[in-house]
Amino acid sequence: MKKIYKVIVALVLALSLVCVFALAACGNKDDETKDNPSGSGSSYTVTIVINDSDTKTQMVEAGGTATEPEEPTSDSGSIFAGWYADSQYTEIFDWNSEITENTTVYAEWITVGEGQSVVTFYANYDGGGKLAVVAVDTGDKMFNTPSASRTGYKFMGWNTAADGTGDTFQYGSYVRENMSVYAIWYKGYVMEAEYTDLTDQYGEDLVFYQYSNNLSGTGAIIADDTCSNGKFLCSGSQASKYMLFEVTSAVAIDNATLTMTASMNYGYGISDNNTYPDDGDSIGTVCVTSSMCKITVFSASNVTDENAAKTYTGGTSMSYDTMSFNMSTVTDLLGHCAFSTFTIGNISLAKGTNYIRILVTSDANRTSAGGQTTAKSVNVDCLTIYSSEESNLTQKTYQT
């Protein structure tokens, strides 16, 4: 009986040890997955290095964002200068960025000497935080203002007020005390060429040309994955062809910036027979000037309706730098070079409806370029207008 009892006890102890080891193994596996989730794709560790002795961690789901901690302070008198994605403090960490791997964020600290003042540069948008903190001898000029960038926006400079109503702070500005300055941004409003009205003043479809093809109305909208909306509007390739963008602004604006994303069709710069040095072309390169591709901006108050806008001869004509297109790799007769973005210049828009017209004005003997192609004009992906967010620009859409 005693022998049976001892056997039972031994079996119970053995089973207990097996369970303990199994649970421990499971616990270790979970901890390993949590701390180093490679392969799981469910969550990642964000390590926040505040200083050599203070580190915090966050677990973030894949594709999520980390939470920016409260701004740390130092007992040593150092000043917190921002969060960085690298230990050399060369890349600002964006708290809006998606977490797709284990990530380390570093706090930068600067020491302020006696007789110095501190200038703090703020990104001035949610998640942007501090971009830089610079110590300058009090009374001296600032000669190392940092640059700033933000997807979909244009950096307009630094200002002592977050809403841009303060004093401009720039290279050479005096620093007489501790101060904060803020990045001022203009939002980029994209106006798609394929959304424009593709009928003339008589209601007939506009006809565009691509090498020797006639493209009528919406047939001139070409699919292209490299474009902002996956489409572009084909070149007119003959004088008097135009595109008319209808843009509404919530307020009057005076200093918006206009850019155009465009390319050139096959037919120019391909061979000696298809180059026109008088226009600045060379073999493999095509140039388009503001006199060949006339861009005009005017408000609805100048015309009775949109049909009148199609033939209106007034407005502000833009003078812009020559657009240059590299055609050296274009061999397909129906092909085009890569799209590039060109700055057209600063424009003013009235409150309400405005028009931006792109008109082909060059008309030379270019039949050697192929078929109907008798003038240099551009394929247009889109226009982008950089303006204050209060303008809330919108485009009238005629087709999607």
Side-chain angles (χ1 to χ4, degrees):
M1 186 71 178
K2 289 183 179 179
K3 183 179 292 186
I4 294 174
Y5 176 76
K6 289 181 179 179
V7 170
I8 293 173
V9 170
L11 288 172
V12 170
L13 289 173
L15 288 171
S16 298
L17 288 173
V18 169
C19 291
V20 168
F21 283 119
L23 290 171
C26 290
N28 290 339
K29 184 176 181 180
D30 288 344
D31 290 343
E32 180 182 353
T33 301
K34 186 175 182 181
D35 293 335
N36 185 18
S38 58
S40 69
S42 59
S43 61
Y44 296 101
T45 302
V46 177
T47 303
I48 303 171
V49 180
I50 297 174
N51 54 47
D52 291 340
S53 59
D54 189 1
T55 299
K56 301 182 184 302
T57 60
Q58 297 179 15
M59 292 303 300
V60 179
E61 290 186 3
T65 58
T67 301
E68 182 177 4
E70 291 185 4
E71 184 171 308
T73 58
S74 171
D75 295 333
S76 66
S78 297
I79 294 179
F80 172 68
W83 300 107
Y84 285 81
D86 65 303
S87 59
Q88 302 303 310
Y89 313 118
T90 62
E91 180 184 352
I92 297 288
F93 181 78
D94 184 356
W95 293 96
N96 292 319
S97 61
E98 294 184 358
I99 301 300
T100 57
E101 60 184 351
N102 292 335
T103 302
T104 303
V105 183
Y106 301 87
E108 183 188 21
W109 300 88
I110 66 168
T111 301
V112 181
E114 185 176 352
Q116 288 189 316
S117 295
V118 173
V119 182
T120 304
F121 296 84
Y122 288 96
N124 200 20
Y125 62 88
D126 289 344
K130 289 181 179 179
L131 290 182
V133 176
V134 180
V136 181
D137 290 341
T138 302
D140 279 1
K141 293 180 179 180
M142 168 66 75
F143 291 118
N144 57 340
T145 53
S147 59
S149 62
R150 181 184 178 190
T151 302
Y153 288 78
K154 180 182 179 182
F155 174 61
M156 302 302 293
W158 300 101
N159 196 278
T160 56
D163 62 1
T165 59
D167 296 326
T168 298
F169 188 83
Q170 58 192 358
Y171 179 93
S173 292
Y174 282 99
V175 178
R176 296 186 172 89
E177 60 184 348
N178 292 340
M179 60 190 303
S180 297
V181 295
Y182 305 86
I184 303 302
W185 305 98
Y186 269 10
K187 182 178 179 179
Y189 294 91
V190 178
M191 309 295 162
E192 298 290 350
E194 64 271 16
Y195 291 168
T196 59
D197 185 0
L198 298 179
T199 62
D200 62 20
Q201 67 269 34
Y202 306 109
E204 300 293 330
D205 283 348
L206 291 172
V207 178
F208 300 88
Y209 298 103
Q210 183 187 39
Y211 195 66
S212 57
N213 285 347
N214 291 357
L215 304 176
S216 178
T218 57
I221 299 174
I222 310 297
D224 189 318
D225 291 339
T226 67
C227 294
S228 62
N229 192 42
K231 303 171 186 176
F232 69 89
L233 189 58
C234 187
S235 164
S237 298
Q238 284 189 337
S240 78
K241 300 301 179 182
Y242 65 87
M243 303 174 192
L244 185 67
F245 293 78
E246 189 171 334
V247 179
T248 300
S249 178
V251 297
I253 52 177
D254 293 324
N255 58 344
T257 300
L258 176 66
T259 69
M260 179 168 67
T261 302
S263 75
M264 176 64 67
N265 277 337
Y266 176 93
Y268 302 105
I270 307 302
S271 67
D272 287 333
N273 292 332
N274 294 335
T275 59
Y276 301 88
D278 290 343
D279 296 339
D281 294 353
S282 60
I283 295 177
T285 301
V286 177
C287 295
V288 175
T289 67
S290 56
S291 63
M292 300 174 187
C293 183
K294 186 177 181 181
I295 300 177
T296 308
V297 182
F298 52 96
S299 74
S301 62
N302 297 113
V303 294
T304 56
D305 56 28
E306 189 225 344
N307 276 336
K310 296 174 181 178
T311 57
Y312 181 61
T313 57
T316 301
S317 294
M318 304 299 299
S319 177
Y320 53 87
D321 291 340
T322 297
M323 294 184 286
S324 180
F325 299 93
N326 179 6
M327 306 297 293
S328 59
T329 60
V330 183
T331 57
D332 184 352
L333 295 180
L334 299 181
H336 60 80
C337 66
F339 279 87
S340 300
T341 299
F342 304 91
T343 298
I344 303 304
N346 291 334
I347 62 173
S348 296
L349 297 176
K351 180 180 179 179
T353 302
N354 300 264
Y355 296 100
I356 302 175
R357 186 177 59 212
I358 303 172
L359 175 67
V360 180
T361 55
S362 69
D363 194 0
N365 181 16
R366 303 182 183 282
T367 53
S368 61
Q372 303 279 6
T373 305
T374 60
K376 284 200 292 188
S377 61
V378 294
N379 301 317
V380 179
D381 172 9
C382 63
L383 301 180
T384 303
I385 304 173
Y386 291 94
S387 177
S388 59
E389 293 198 34
E390 64 178 353
S391 64
N392 192 27
L393 301 181
T394 57
Q395 179 186 9
K396 184 172 181 179
T397 301
Y398 287 87
Q399 60 274 318
T400 58

